[in-house]
């Protein structure tokens, strides 16, 4: 680890100004991903501006019934928040499906959004990786790619985004509030992340020095049920092979509206707009659920190591929709 | 860059000067000779370094000491109410043989202590049934402490690995304390 300076932020404006002015500076939240990256040699900031003592740790009710989640709210506190649990079951479930109790006590909302891929080649500085070292190549293509992308990947990078929380936030139409030197801007989650293309070193559309201050959730539609389903290699404390988040509004035996996002399939939470379109007005049932999944997954381009993700994602989404549509009270 | 800080470790104020790169785990073990928290993976994947930081269980290997000047740190060695006594979790781990080599044990015990407090405060886990603790629209959540079943204990303790495989007895030890 290279030496670095440490400075607790006194206010958001000066934190933004400090990091913007210094190319090697980074914000420090819970540190659960960044400190590990500094140990591994993936990140080498020369200044850490600690934002955890800024007054960004509240969960507030918005006038329209939505919620504003402060950037430094810890994942465990957010998952346990009574308003979040009653209004956004998909998000509480996704948070609790991620990491471990100790990590959730430290990890922040903004840090969760900004965590980086767990691609084993990205995390191993002895191997080529275009995300870590642009132009060096991609060891995952043709390598061990069981965990990698089947949608939206490029010839330069097939990494997936690891967050569970972000997948639920995508289905919930979350909006990220970002503070930069020019002031504040609001970025819908759908425009927050990038596909890898030929610049996989950039995970998001944030500029250096921009600081996430909150995430806003609009109210879910009246009568909506929502949930999250995660499939992984062990029962707990593992990243997703595949996950699905859904918001479902039904009307009689039909789907009135569905919002769906997949995790584990792409470089970003994958909002499944083709599946949503296929479900609109459909008769509730196994056939519609599977057709909807296929409407999205037919664009999949699996590799030899991860072709199982296509049927796995189809089954995960169908099971989740079945649960939301037909099971009286889901866990 | 060096930084001066004070930590309250197991009830005792300890001042030290650290390089900013020092994790809380290394500050405790290498600088303050507090060797109860163990270095397992050093990457947040095993839980052996778990301590209570201002009352909450965290992984001390992923926390920079410099960011926690003034914090209260409790290790497994500092859980007992008085010298010569054992904390109920320590007693239960002995009674149930909740370890083999013992390397993960301080982390297991700290994690269990933090976990039981979380459960008492009404924090849900992935396996908590909605009906048992879901928020109502008025923001009310039913609070614990309900005794935890084995599924709850396993899920809530999943961040602590035991490569000897003493899980069955670890769960039994925690179940006994949870029911008290």
């Amino acid at each position: 680890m290279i030496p670095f300076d440490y400075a607790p932020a006194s206010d958001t404006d000066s934190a933004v100004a400090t990091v913007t002015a210094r190319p090697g500076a980074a914000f420090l939240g819970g540190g659960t991903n960044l400190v590990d990256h500094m140990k591994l040699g993936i990140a080498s900031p020369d200044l850490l501006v600690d934002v955890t003592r800024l007054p960004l740790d509240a969960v507030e009710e918005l006038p329209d019934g939505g919620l504003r989640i402060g950037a430094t709210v810890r994942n465990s506190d957010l998952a346990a928040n009574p308003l979040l649990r009653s209004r956004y079951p998909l998000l509480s479930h996704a948070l609790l499906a991620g990491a471990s109790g100790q990590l959730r006590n430290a990890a922040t909302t903004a840090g969760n959004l900004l965590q980086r891929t767990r691609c084993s080649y990205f995390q191993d500085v002895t191997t080529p990786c275009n995300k870590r070292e642009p132009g060096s190549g991609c060891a995952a293509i043709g390598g061990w790619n069981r965990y990698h992308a089947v949608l939206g990947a490029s010839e330069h990078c097939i990494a997936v985004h690891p967050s569970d929380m972000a997948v639920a936030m995508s289905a919930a139409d979350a909006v990220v509030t970002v503070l930069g030197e020019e002031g504040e801007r609001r970025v819908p989650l759908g425009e927050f992340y990038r596909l890898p293309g030929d610049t996989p070193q950039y995970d998001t559309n944030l500029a250096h020095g921009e600081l996430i201050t909150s995430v806003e959730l609009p109210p879910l539609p009246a009568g909506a049920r929502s949930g999250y389903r995660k499939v992984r290699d062990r029962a707990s404390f593992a990243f997703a092979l595949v996950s699905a988040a859904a918001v479902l509004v039904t009307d009689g035996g039909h789907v009135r509206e569905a919002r769906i996002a997949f995790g584990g399939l792409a470089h970003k939470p994958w909002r499944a707009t083709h599946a949503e379109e296929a479900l609109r007005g459909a008769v509730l049932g196994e056939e519609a659920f599977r057709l909807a999944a296929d409407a999205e997954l037919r664009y999949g381009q699996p590799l030899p190591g991860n072709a199982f993700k296509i049927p796995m994602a189809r089954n995960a989404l169908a099971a989740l929709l079945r649960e939301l549509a037909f099971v009286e009270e889901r866990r | 860059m060096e930084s001066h800080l004070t930590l309250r470790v197991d009830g005792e104020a300890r001042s030290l000067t650290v390089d900013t790169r020092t994790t809380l785990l290394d500050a405790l073990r290498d600088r303050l000779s507090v060797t109860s928290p163990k270095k397992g993976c050093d990457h947040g994947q095993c839980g052996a370094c778990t301590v209570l930081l201002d009352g909450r269980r965290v992984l001390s290997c992923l926390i920079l000491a410099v960011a926690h000047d003034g914090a209260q740190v409790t290790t497994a060695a500092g859980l007992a109410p008085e010298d010569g006594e054992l904390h109920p979790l320590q007693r239960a781990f002995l009674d149930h043989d909740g370890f083999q080599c013992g390397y993960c044990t301080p982390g297991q015990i700290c994690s269990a202590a933090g976990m039981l407090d979380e459960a008492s405060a009404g924090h849900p886990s992935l396996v908590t049934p909605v009906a048992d603790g879901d928020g109502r629209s008025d923001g009310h959540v039913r609070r614990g402490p309900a005794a935890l079943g084995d599924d709850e204990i396993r899920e809530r303790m999943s961040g602590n690995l035991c490569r000897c495989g003493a899980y069955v007895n670890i769960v039994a030890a925690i179940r006994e304390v949870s029911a008290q």
Side-chain angles (χ1 to χ4, degrees), chain A residues 20 35-36 64 71 73 133 135-136 144 199 222 233 264 270 274 283 311 326:
Chain A
T20 303
V35 173
D36 193 30
D64 63 1
V73 175
E133 199 181 328
S136 63
W144 188 77
T199 50
D233 275 330
W270 190 268
H274 299 289
V283 176
F326 300 122

Side-chain angles (χ1 to χ4, degrees), chain A residues 72-83:
Chain A
T72 64
V73 175
R74 309 289 170 165
N75 287 180
S76 53
D77 293 328
L78 183 57
N81 182 281
L83 291 171

